[in-house]
Amino acid sequence: KAGVTQTPRYLIKTRGQQVTLSCSPISGHRSVSWYQQTPGQGLQFLFEYFSETQRNKGNFPGRFSGRQFSNSRSEMNVSTLELGDSALYLCASSLGYGGNGPIPMNTEAFFGQGTRLTVV
Amino acid sequence: AQSVTQLDSHVSVSEGTPVLLRCNYSSSYSPSLFWYVQHPNKGLQLLLKYTSAATLVKGINGFEAEFKKSETSFHLTKPSAHMSDAAEYFCVVSATNFGNEKLTFGTGTRLTIIP
């Protein structure tokens, strides 16, 4: 089956602009998480969506936002870009667990190849 | 809160020799622990996971890890290194005891294989 697809793969933006990144999860997966990877800070959790609702949020400023659509595809948006936002943004998809019924046996997170954002 | 500490930022081994990548964790409950690998310009791939079943976990490509609660460790090992193992390895803990929706990553260990 198709893996996690992130678009675009590479992006160059200017300070002050805004950017939208897209993530298409594996078919049937309802949870989508976003991570930022930088050489200085490593991999940091941004937020997680499950069934169109943001369930978890990391410690990032409000300039970072996201949403999830009814088909589980997710977008993240960064407004008023800063040089420090240059990073590899990774999306992870998993079956997820809504808190009701039996816990799925396999809730492995599958990662996309990422979007490399460069802010100049 | 949960966290992981990868004790070595860089490990070099000769091809054919054993690999040991060390990870200690901190969690207020029984954790779900993972090892992920990242090859250059690639996304993250799951090597193995521990979710309170067997303490010795076998993963892909000959890797395995042992969960030791008394030592709060989850070290990754492989008996014989291959050139293709050269990559960055991340020890990861999940904020939930069942899923993968909020992962806390270690700082990574870069594994170099010497021919």
Side-chain angles (χ1 to χ4, degrees), chain B residues 31 41 66 110:
Chain B
N41 299 315
E66 186 171 8
R110 181 163 298 279

Side-chain angles (χ1 to χ4, degrees), chain B residues 64-93:
Chain B
E64 62 181 39
E66 186 171 8
F67 174 75
K68 292 186 176 180
K69 187 175 181 179
S70 60
E71 299 176 11
T72 61
S73 68
F74 190 58
H75 301 335
L76 181 71
T77 60
K78 182 174 180 177
S80 177
H82 191 273
M83 293 301 295
S84 61
D85 295 329
E88 186 103 22
Y89 292 79
F90 294 94
C91 182
V92 183
V93 63

Side-chain angles (χ1 to χ4, degrees), chain B:
Chain B
Q2 61 287 322
S3 65
V4 288
T5 302
Q6 292 184 245
L7 300 171
D8 307 292
S9 59
H10 192 198
V11 169
S12 293
V13 302
S14 297
E15 190 176 17
T17 64
V19 175
L20 169 63
L21 305 183
R22 299 182 295 164
C23 172
N24 286 350
Y25 71 91
S26 172
S27 178
S28 53
Y29 49 79
S30 183
S32 291
L33 293 161
F34 311 83
W35 277 97
Y36 279 86
V37 61
Q38 186 176 36
H39 290 276
N41 299 315
K42 294 287 182 66
L44 291 154
Q45 182 183 22
L46 179 68
L47 279 177
L48 49 81
K49 62 181 178 181
Y50 166 78
T51 53
S52 74
T55 56
L56 182 62
V57 182
K58 293 189 183 298
I60 62 171
N61 301 334
F63 285 96
E64 62 181 39
E66 186 171 8
F67 174 75
K68 292 186 176 180
K69 187 175 181 179
S70 60
E71 299 176 11
T72 61
S73 68
F74 190 58
H75 301 335
L76 181 71
T77 60
K78 182 174 180 177
S80 177
H82 191 273
M83 293 301 295
S84 61
D85 295 329
E88 186 103 22
Y89 292 79
F90 294 94
C91 182
V92 183
V93 63
S94 173
T96 65
N97 60 355
F98 56 78
N100 304 266
E101 290 84 7
K102 182 180 177 183
L103 303 176
T104 299
F105 284 78
T107 50
T109 298
R110 181 163 298 279
L111 177 63
T112 300
I113 311 298
I114 303 166

